[in-house]
Amino acid sequence: MASNIQTIFELSEDTIRSLSNPNDWRNFLKTASWQYKYPFQDQVLIYAQRPDATACARIDVWNRQMHRWINRGSKGIALLRENGRGYGLEYVFDVSDTHDRYNRDVRLWKYNTQYNDEIIDTLEGTFGELDNSSSIYTAIESAAHNAVQDNKSDYLHELEFVARDSFLRGLDKVNLDHEFTTVAEASIAYMIMHRMGLEPDGIFERADFEFIRDFNTPAAMNILGGAVSSIAEDALRNISESIRAQQKNFARNQNRVYNRTENREAEVNEERNENNERNHLQDSRGLSDTRTDSTETGSDTRQVRTDAEDISQAEQTDTVLRASDDGQTARPLAGDRQDSNETGRTDDSEDGRSGRRDGAVESGQSFALDGADEQLPSFSGGIGAFTVGTQLNLFDMTLPSEEEQRRMIAEAEQRRSSAFSIPQQIIDEVLISGGNKPASVLNIATEYTKNKSAEENIAFLMREYGTGGKGFLIDGEKISAWWNDEGISIARGDTALQTRQATLVTWQQVQERIKELLENGRYAEDTILDQTDFHERETAAKYFYEVYRDLNSDKYPELDEEFNKEWFDGSYPDTVANITELFRDRANVDFALSVMENLSKRHKADSDIMRFRFYTPEGAVKLLTELNGEHIHFAPNGYVMNGVHNFITEDEIDKTLTRGSSMAGGKFRINRFFNEHSNKQERIQFLKNEYGTGGYRATPFSEDHNFK
């Protein structure tokens, strides 16, 4: 009799093979749209066992974070997990298998037509200018087109290696590109529309998915599925954030649920976005890491959150839940290499070591983790015919009793009652160090002088911090911090991600505390506070100059006539210094603002007036308007920072290693080599050759100030 691990591998392989039927593929996309925070391989297994599942999580997440019980007799959904010695099974349960003492629903974000304008703006900001944004439907299709065009090269490169084993064989590069692009764009748009309740079957026809028949091997389907899953996830995370922002005033007084991994507390009503991690999209429209999510032996993830533990999406009668994180990991299934020996599959996530989307290491204490450690099996055939939605008896498990679950929930509620298990002094030390960008504390102090709303400050802080972390040595103790779209997690020790003891400081709390520290004269030293005026003027001067430099003056020579050419005499540093000084005079700021406002009108009518699309007149208008706006003065009071020393946390190391080398395609090569070579010395030598001598490019000024 086949072992549980072998059976689930075969179930996955057989399910993937069935997806090359257009009807089955569309049915899969419907399930995947609700599970968009999970990687493709998890989506396949959820579809195979519970196609109607809407919000899935492990039992300890339901108990400890959501404070919900698993109903007696419920069957878990088996997912594959690498556990260090081989593969095991982890079980998740759908929300329909749970209840709480108040019989409340878990609330997830819900689309409403009143959000159309904001969603279209979000799609355009994420994926670039849309060819057609006349309706929500055309906007989604245009966004899917942009995303695939920007990111298909890596997927196609992988696809070329496995095409000959499938019905794709014989296609030249042009036709391979055409088939992949056609199916991927339609599938991504279909997933987005279905999650939003837009009834995509009325938009797409069977013919839109006919090319899926040619992706008839697990290797080919994993590449296509990884692309569709990854890109749709980024779109839906941004859409959920847009909707959440619109509903914020309504959600503020409701119960809040964090869709979090075991490291974080969960809120029950606000779908947190992974964000992502989320890993933010690049300003040039390309996704930061959207290549295939599969590996032969394990997986990375593009984001810093553990999606396998997050609550997946499901439409409820109530409002918003936020889709978490950083998302991401996928390991290839059994058929991946059997169909092709040419290549190993890899996921391009930023963080992760053990097959979860966000990069946190799988907990060895999970109730549902299968106890048997097995190596990746080799199969000569599948498990035979199966019915989608059938949960096999082998996946039945003995649930903890209701008394045991109640005890776990009580313990979680007790921990939650003390919001700051980390002393306020340590939290303050983390906050006053700022993020990891150059001059971060100065950036933050300068922004706070602009007297903006709490919501605007939160949005700025999330951009300023991004996703990352750092370590602090405070009174001889190691303190680790990690920040993402949820807030800043702080814990004692070498990691803030791989512990359940982390304290989460939400962005609302961060922005409030920073304001208090500034008002009390404890956020920044006098030398920093004295620079805020100059820093704001210099930032506006740099942006103003970049807009001038990026004008398409060759095609539109009249554009130069708007400017005072004397402002731009000299080298770049001299010009920036000159304009910074000129901006001391409000009249000069008014002049520059009028020039940018005129260009902005022209730019909206004809985007070709700019040679590039990063710096825009609209961004300059924003900065110059703020420069002339009301400001708050935070008086220096002689505050001197404690000279806290830093160390590199395990979370930072993991993030760096999972990026691969600085050479193009490094992650693919490393993953493929490790799949094919187990000798430790061979791996070490390969890594020495792959990494060589060098590093990653630092973030330039231009990437810190996107004001589109």
Side-chain angles (χ1 to χ4, degrees), residues 263-332:
N263 314 323
R264 308 226 190 347
E265 282 188 341
E267 286 187 8
V268 185
N269 70 351
E270 201 175 358
E271 197 169 54
R272 309 296 285 182
N273 163 44
E274 234 74 157
N275 101 135
N276 291 67
E277 52 71 220
R278 112 186 136 68
N279 228 357
H280 292 293
L281 301 178
Q282 300 299 317
D283 297 319
S284 60
R285 286 177 38 188
L287 301 177
S288 57
D289 250 338
T290 54
R291 285 163 284 188
T292 49
D293 279 346
S294 305
T295 80
E296 294 266 344
T297 59
S299 64
D300 278 304
T301 68
R302 283 178 306 99
Q303 309 191 30
V304 186
R305 294 285 311 283
T306 302
D307 287 328
E309 300 179 13
D310 286 350
I311 301 304
S312 182
Q313 334 302 295
E315 184 170 359
Q316 302 288 338
T317 55
D318 250 314
T319 47
V320 296
L321 217 182
R322 177 206 133 169
S324 168
D325 305 358
D326 257 289
Q328 357 222 287
T329 190
R331 65 192 60 57

Side-chain angles (χ1 to χ4, degrees), residues 47 78 141 180 306 330 485 540 648 653 677:
Y47 167 71
E141 290 183 279
F180 174 84
T306 302
D485 53 355
I648 299 175
I653 293 171
H677 299 79

Side-chain angles (χ1 to χ4, degrees), residues 30 151 328 367 394 423 443 481 515 705:
K30 291 175 182 178
N151 296 277
Q328 357 222 287
F367 283 122
L394 72 91
N443 292 340
K515 184 176 181 181
H705 301 276

Side-chain angles (χ1 to χ4, degrees), residues 30-53:
K30 291 175 182 178
T31 298
S33 72
W34 290 105
Q35 315 299 335
Y36 67 81
K37 291 177 295 179
Y38 284 87
F40 175 64
Q41 286 75 16
D42 283 354
Q43 291 170 347
V44 168
L45 288 171
I46 293 172
Y47 167 71
Q49 299 167 70
R50 285 286 293 274
D52 60 340

Side-chain angles (χ1 to χ4, degrees), residues 146 171 229 326 358 425 524 695 708:
N146 286 357
L171 295 180
S229 173
D326 257 289
D358 94 70
Q425 178 184 357
K708 287 184 185 177

Side-chain angles (χ1 to χ4, degrees), residues 421-658:
S421 59
I422 295 290
Q424 188 65 49
Q425 178 184 357
I426 291 179
I427 294 174
D428 289 348
E429 290 287 356
V430 172
L431 295 183
I432 63 178
S433 75
N436 285 328
K437 292 182 179 178
S440 181
V441 172
L442 177 57
N443 292 340
I444 294 169
T446 301
E447 190 70 14
Y448 269 79
T449 66
K450 299 177 184 179
N451 197 27
K452 293 185 176 182
S453 67
E455 289 74 16
E456 290 174 308
N457 285 338
I458 289 172
F460 164 77
L461 289 171
M462 292 178 71
R463 292 194 306 270
E464 175 68 24
Y465 277 85
T467 298
K470 63 175 71 170
F472 303 82
L473 290 173
I474 300 177
D475 295 332
E477 183 180 19
K478 285 186 175 182
I479 302 294
S480 295
W482 187 266
W483 43 81
N484 58 18
D485 53 355
E486 285 188 335
I488 302 178
S489 292
I490 306 172
R492 290 180 168 86
D494 294 310
T495 173
L497 282 178
Q498 300 171 33
T499 175
R500 298 186 182 187
Q501 306 304 318
T503 293
L504 176 68
V505 187
T506 67
W507 288 117
Q508 177 68 35
Q509 294 167 329
V510 170
Q511 80 86 23
E512 290 174 354
R513 185 57 180 165
I514 289 177
K515 184 176 181 181
E516 292 174 358
L517 291 170
L518 279 165
E519 291 172 344
N520 295 334
R522 294 179 48 227
Y523 182 73
E525 295 183 342
D526 296 356
T527 54
I528 292 178
L529 294 177
D530 289 341
Q531 296 178 56
T532 56
D533 174 66
F534 173 84
H535 185 61
E536 184 180 8
R537 287 187 287 109
E538 184 182 52
T539 300
K542 288 180 178 179
Y543 200 98
F544 181 77
Y545 178 78
E546 294 291 352
V547 173
Y548 171 77
R549 188 161 62 176
D550 285 353
L551 287 174
N552 194 350
S553 301
D554 294 337
K555 186 176 180 180
Y556 304 96
E558 69 276 9
L559 296 175
D560 282 345
E561 299 175 4
E562 297 276 344
F563 294 84
N564 184 335
K565 295 297 185 61
E566 294 181 358
W567 286 19
F568 302 95
D569 289 340
S571 64
Y572 172 80
D574 291 340
T575 298
V576 169
N578 179 45
I579 298 175
T580 300
E581 185 64 24
L582 287 169
F583 281 172
R584 285 183 179 274
D585 188 337
R586 188 184 182 102
N588 289 329
V589 177
D590 288 338
F591 168 73
L593 180 58
S594 66
V595 170
M596 289 296 112
E597 287 175 337
N598 291 336
L599 283 177
S600 178
K601 294 176 183 178
R602 179 81 178 269
H603 183 241
K604 290 176 181 178
D606 182 6
S607 61
D608 285 344
I609 70 168
M610 302 299 298
R611 290 185 297 129
F612 308 107
R613 299 192 178 186
F614 187 84
Y615 295 99
T616 65
E618 292 79 16
V621 167
K622 179 178 183 296
L623 286 174
L624 293 167
T625 300
E626 291 176 354
L627 193 57
N628 269 347
E630 179 184 355
H631 285 67
I632 299 174
H633 178 66
F634 297 107
N637 71 346
Y639 170 69
V640 178
M641 295 182 64
N642 296 327
V644 174
H645 295 286
N646 297 104
F647 72 94
I648 299 175
T649 67
E650 290 184 6
D651 306 322
E652 295 176 274
I653 293 171
D654 289 349
K655 181 177 180 180
T656 300
L657 291 178
T658 53

